[in-house]
Amino acid sequence: MFAARSSTWSSARESSGLPAESHMRLELTPRARAEVMEATAWYLEEGDIEVGLRFAEELDRTFDRIATNPLAWTHLERGIRRALVQGFPYAVLYCVEAERVEVFAVMHQRRHPDRWER
């Protein structure tokens, strides 16, 4: 579950007290954190509240899948990987480092790709 004040994500499974699967620490850059908040707010304010909640849950599942198996997703270039948020037009862009995964973008797939250049 993503906390707005933290850059580290923890799975809903961990937060519930259930045993978590082995996974890497997943950290969001300030920019990625802002994009998560912006996208979630848009769905909650402009769309249906149920759709907004579904988006937040699916993004949480996407983070969990990345943290559990970070090398399973599409390699784009220079160590950058992309995982799609199922059912929504968003992609999570990240890189895998020694002991953590750094998420640097959570972006709408129709935005210009230069927007996520590091």
Side-chain angles (χ1 to χ4, degrees), residues 58-73:
E58 191 55 47
L59 187 58
D60 189 55
R61 282 193 284 273
T62 302
F63 288 157
D64 192 42
R65 287 190 295 269
I66 292 168
T68 301
N69 194 359
L71 300 178
W73 308 103

Side-chain angles (χ1 to χ4, degrees), residues 2 6-10 22-30 32-33 62-74 79-83 92-106 118:
F2 175 72
S6 171
S7 64
T8 303
W9 168 88
S10 64
S22 174
H23 64 272
M24 295 182 76
R25 188 174 76 239
L26 190 139
E27 295 180 356
L28 283 77
T29 63
R33 188 171 49 248
T62 302
F63 288 157
D64 192 42
R65 287 190 295 269
I66 292 168
T68 301
N69 194 359
L71 300 178
W73 308 103
T74 305
I80 297 169
R81 294 185 174 274
R82 178 188 67 206
V92 176
L93 301 176
Y94 65 96
C95 60
V96 180
E97 298 180 1
E99 296 182 18
R100 70 186 181 112
V101 173
E102 180 184 43
V103 173
F104 58 88
V106 177
R118 297 171 118 206

Side-chain angles (χ1 to χ4, degrees), residues 11 13-15 17-23 64 68:
S11 75
R13 187 171 188 77
E14 283 179 9
S15 301
L18 296 171
E21 296 179 40
S22 174
H23 64 272
D64 192 42
T68 301

